[in-house]
Amino acid sequence: LFRLNVLLTKYITFMQKAHLFAGKTFIVGMDTFNRLFDNKYYYGSQELVERSFQYIKNQRCKFLVFPREGIEKIEVFSDFLSLFEFSDFKPTGISSTEIRNKAVK
C-alpha cells in the first residue's frame, strides 16, 4: 500500500512549481511532456527552455510521464531527459481537460 500526497496549485510554470516544491515529482501526461520542450511557450527562445530546465534540475525535481491515447512522445535530444521517467500504465476514462471543462460549466 502506498501513501501519496497530492498537491494542486494555481501556478502555471514548472519553474514556479519547482521553486515551491523542491525535490518533488510532477505527474504529467504525454501531451504536457511534448509542450514542455516547445519553445513557443518560452517566448520562442530555446535558451529559456534550457534555463528553465536547469532551474528545475537544480531544485532536484523530476517528472513522471503517463501516456495519452493517440499522443506519441516527441523525440527530444536534451541534457534534461534524466529528469523524466515514462510510465507504461495507460490510464482510461476521463482526461483532466474534460474534468476541468465540466467543473467550469
Side-chain angles (χ1 to χ4, degrees):
L1 185 62
F2 293 97
R3 181 172 177 242
L4 301 174
N5 293 318
V6 178
L7 300 169
L8 301 175
T9 176
K10 66 181 179 177
Y11 294 101
I12 296 170
T13 70
F14 282 99
M15 278 185 64
Q16 292 169 318
K17 295 172 188 181
H19 178 75
L20 289 174
F21 306 113
K24 302 299 181 206
T25 299
F26 302 113
I27 300 172
V28 299
M30 190 63 68
D31 50 340
T32 300
F33 169 80
N34 289 343
R35 285 192 304 268
L36 285 171
F37 290 94
D38 189 337
N39 66 13
K40 80 177 183 182
Y41 295 105
Y42 303 84
Y43 306 102
S45 170
Q46 187 61 34
E47 180 184 345
L48 282 179
V49 173
E50 293 174 17
R51 286 176 48 198
S52 296
F53 277 109
Q54 188 59 56
Y55 182 79
I56 292 167
K57 184 176 182 177
N58 291 346
Q59 293 298 101
R60 302 172 332 280
C61 292
K62 301 272 185 175
F63 293 85
L64 176 58
V65 183
F66 284 88
R68 294 271 199 220
E69 188 174 317
I71 300 177
E72 297 296 322
K73 178 174 83 169
I74 62 170
E75 290 297 320
V76 178
F77 300 101
S78 170
D79 295 336
F80 302 108
L81 282 178
S82 63
L83 300 176
F84 297 88
E85 180 179 337
F86 297 90
S87 172
D88 291 332
F89 175 76
K90 294 186 179 179
T92 60
I94 193 165
S95 72
S96 59
T97 301
E98 290 176 83
I99 292 169
R100 284 190 300 276
N101 290 339
K102 285 183 178 185
V104 171
K105 292 181 182 178

